[in-house]
mmCIF file of all heavy atoms in Angstrom:
data_model
loop_
_atom_site.group_PDB
_atom_site.id
_atom_site.type_symbol
_atom_site.label_atom_id
_atom_site.label_comp_id
_atom_site.label_asym_id
_atom_site.label_seq_id
_atom_site.Cartn_x
_atom_site.Cartn_y
_atom_site.Cartn_z
ATOM 1 N N VAL V 33 -4.700 -1.487 -12.924
ATOM 2 C CA VAL V 33 -3.762 -0.437 -12.500
ATOM 3 C C VAL V 33 -4.485 0.904 -12.552
ATOM 4 O O VAL V 33 -5.104 1.254 -13.564
ATOM 5 C CB VAL V 33 -2.519 -0.394 -13.409
ATOM 6 C CG1 VAL V 33 -1.597 0.743 -12.988
ATOM 7 C CG2 VAL V 33 -1.790 -1.722 -13.394
ATOM 8 N N ILE V 36 -2.766 7.438 -9.903
ATOM 9 C CA ILE V 36 -3.265 8.488 -9.008
ATOM 10 C C ILE V 36 -2.249 9.626 -9.023
ATOM 11 O O ILE V 36 -1.077 9.422 -8.722
ATOM 12 C CB ILE V 36 -3.439 7.962 -7.566
ATOM 13 C CG1 ILE V 36 -4.421 6.785 -7.561
ATOM 14 C CG2 ILE V 36 -3.907 9.084 -6.648
ATOM 15 C CD1 ILE V 36 -4.468 6.045 -6.246
ATOM 16 N N PRO V 43 -4.253 28.345 -2.122
ATOM 17 C CA PRO V 43 -4.785 28.776 -0.823
ATOM 18 C C PRO V 43 -6.110 29.518 -1.001
ATOM 19 O O PRO V 43 -6.463 29.935 -2.111
ATOM 20 C CB PRO V 43 -3.716 29.739 -0.286
ATOM 21 C CG PRO V 43 -2.539 29.601 -1.175
ATOM 22 C CD PRO V 43 -3.004 28.998 -2.456
ATOM 23 N N ILE V 45 -8.556 32.645 0.852
ATOM 24 C CA ILE V 45 -8.677 33.708 1.851
ATOM 25 C C ILE V 45 -10.163 33.977 2.033
ATOM 26 O O ILE V 45 -10.884 34.185 1.062
ATOM 27 C CB ILE V 45 -7.965 35.002 1.401
ATOM 28 C CG1 ILE V 45 -6.474 34.744 1.152
ATOM 29 C CG2 ILE V 45 -8.153 36.111 2.434
ATOM 30 C CD1 ILE V 45 -5.737 35.924 0.557
ATOM 31 N N GLY V 55 -9.190 58.267 13.646
ATOM 32 C CA GLY V 55 -8.233 58.928 14.535
ATOM 33 C C GLY V 55 -7.308 57.932 15.199
ATOM 34 O O GLY V 55 -6.257 58.287 15.702
ATOM 35 N N ALA V 60 0.202 50.245 12.539
ATOM 36 C CA ALA V 60 0.861 49.476 11.487
ATOM 37 C C ALA V 60 0.185 48.135 11.263
ATOM 38 O O ALA V 60 0.388 47.499 10.244
ATOM 39 C CB ALA V 60 2.328 49.273 11.852
ATOM 40 N N GLU V 78 2.854 27.493 5.419
ATOM 41 C CA GLU V 78 3.489 27.174 4.144
ATOM 42 C C GLU V 78 3.051 28.122 3.026
ATOM 43 O O GLU V 78 3.478 27.971 1.892
ATOM 44 C CB GLU V 78 3.204 25.722 3.760
ATOM 45 C CG GLU V 78 3.881 24.741 4.693
ATOM 46 C CD GLU V 78 3.571 23.296 4.376
ATOM 47 O OE1 GLU V 78 2.572 23.028 3.675
ATOM 48 O OE2 GLU V 78 4.332 22.439 4.824
ATOM 49 N N TYR V 82 2.083 36.974 0.362
ATOM 50 C CA TYR V 82 0.807 37.693 0.394
ATOM 51 C C TYR V 82 0.983 38.971 -0.413
ATOM 52 O O TYR V 82 1.983 39.663 -0.252
ATOM 53 C CB TYR V 82 0.411 38.051 1.826
ATOM 54 C CG TYR V 82 0.087 36.851 2.679
ATOM 55 C CD1 TYR V 82 1.054 36.236 3.458
ATOM 56 C CD2 TYR V 82 -1.198 36.327 2.699
ATOM 57 C CE1 TYR V 82 0.748 35.132 4.238
ATOM 58 C CE2 TYR V 82 -1.519 35.225 3.482
ATOM 59 C CZ TYR V 82 -0.529 34.633 4.255
ATOM 60 O OH TYR V 82 -0.844 33.537 5.021
ATOM 61 N N ARG V 87 -5.945 46.050 -8.559
ATOM 62 C CA ARG V 87 -6.939 46.977 -8.017
ATOM 63 C C ARG V 87 -8.209 46.909 -8.851
ATOM 64 O O ARG V 87 -8.162 46.899 -10.073
ATOM 65 C CB ARG V 87 -6.369 48.393 -8.024
ATOM 66 C CG ARG V 87 -7.201 49.381 -7.254
ATOM 67 C CD ARG V 87 -6.472 50.728 -7.135
ATOM 68 N NE ARG V 87 -7.270 51.651 -6.376
ATOM 69 C CZ ARG V 87 -8.292 52.324 -6.880
ATOM 70 N NH1 ARG V 87 -8.637 52.163 -8.134
ATOM 71 N NH2 ARG V 87 -8.980 53.159 -6.128
ATOM 72 N N GLN V 88 -9.355 46.820 -8.171
ATOM 73 C CA GLN V 88 -10.641 46.762 -8.842
ATOM 74 C C GLN V 88 -11.382 48.081 -8.632
ATOM 75 O O GLN V 88 -11.094 48.817 -7.685
ATOM 76 C CB GLN V 88 -11.467 45.603 -8.304
ATOM 77 C CG GLN V 88 -10.794 44.262 -8.552
ATOM 78 C CD GLN V 88 -11.598 43.098 -8.038
ATOM 79 O OE1 GLN V 88 -12.800 43.183 -7.851
ATOM 80 N NE2 GLN V 88 -10.919 41.988 -7.821
ATOM 81 N N GLY V 104 1.616 38.523 5.992
ATOM 82 C CA GLY V 104 0.248 38.853 5.630
ATOM 83 C C GLY V 104 -0.337 39.997 6.438
ATOM 84 O O GLY V 104 -1.530 40.268 6.375
ATOM 85 N N LEU V 127 -9.881 46.456 -0.066
ATOM 86 C CA LEU V 127 -8.622 45.991 -0.632
ATOM 87 C C LEU V 127 -8.849 44.569 -1.135
ATOM 88 O O LEU V 127 -9.558 43.798 -0.495
ATOM 89 C CB LEU V 127 -7.521 45.952 0.433
ATOM 90 C CG LEU V 127 -7.239 47.220 1.219
ATOM 91 C CD1 LEU V 127 -6.273 46.926 2.355
ATOM 92 C CD2 LEU V 127 -6.648 48.265 0.292
ATOM 93 N N GLN V 130 -4.316 38.499 -2.217
ATOM 94 C CA GLN V 130 -4.117 37.121 -2.646
ATOM 95 C C GLN V 130 -3.007 36.489 -1.814
ATOM 96 O O GLN V 130 -2.137 37.186 -1.298
ATOM 97 C CB GLN V 130 -3.716 37.059 -4.127
ATOM 98 C CG GLN V 130 -4.830 37.424 -5.081
ATOM 99 C CD GLN V 130 -4.378 37.344 -6.517
ATOM 100 O OE1 GLN V 130 -3.685 38.234 -6.989
ATOM 101 N NE2 GLN V 130 -4.771 36.278 -7.199
ATOM 102 N N ALA V 140 -7.632 33.018 -5.326
ATOM 103 C CA ALA V 140 -8.468 33.995 -6.019
ATOM 104 C C ALA V 140 -8.408 35.302 -5.223
ATOM 105 O O ALA V 140 -8.255 35.279 -4.000
ATOM 106 C CB ALA V 140 -9.910 33.491 -6.084
ATOM 107 N N GLN V 142 -9.460 38.182 -2.964
ATOM 108 C CA GLN V 142 -10.509 38.261 -1.944
ATOM 109 C C GLN V 142 -10.584 39.678 -1.399
ATOM 110 O O GLN V 142 -9.557 40.311 -1.143
ATOM 111 C CB GLN V 142 -10.235 37.278 -0.813
ATOM 112 C CG GLN V 142 -11.313 37.230 0.244
ATOM 113 C CD GLN V 142 -12.686 36.901 -0.327
ATOM 114 O OE1 GLN V 142 -13.490 37.797 -0.547
ATOM 115 N NE2 GLN V 142 -12.952 35.647 -0.591
#
Side-chain angles (χ1 to χ4, degrees):
V33 177
I36 301 170
I45 301 173
E78 292 178 341
Y82 293 92
R87 191 172 181 280
Q88 298 180 22
L127 305 172
Q130 290 180 283
Q142 184 57 261

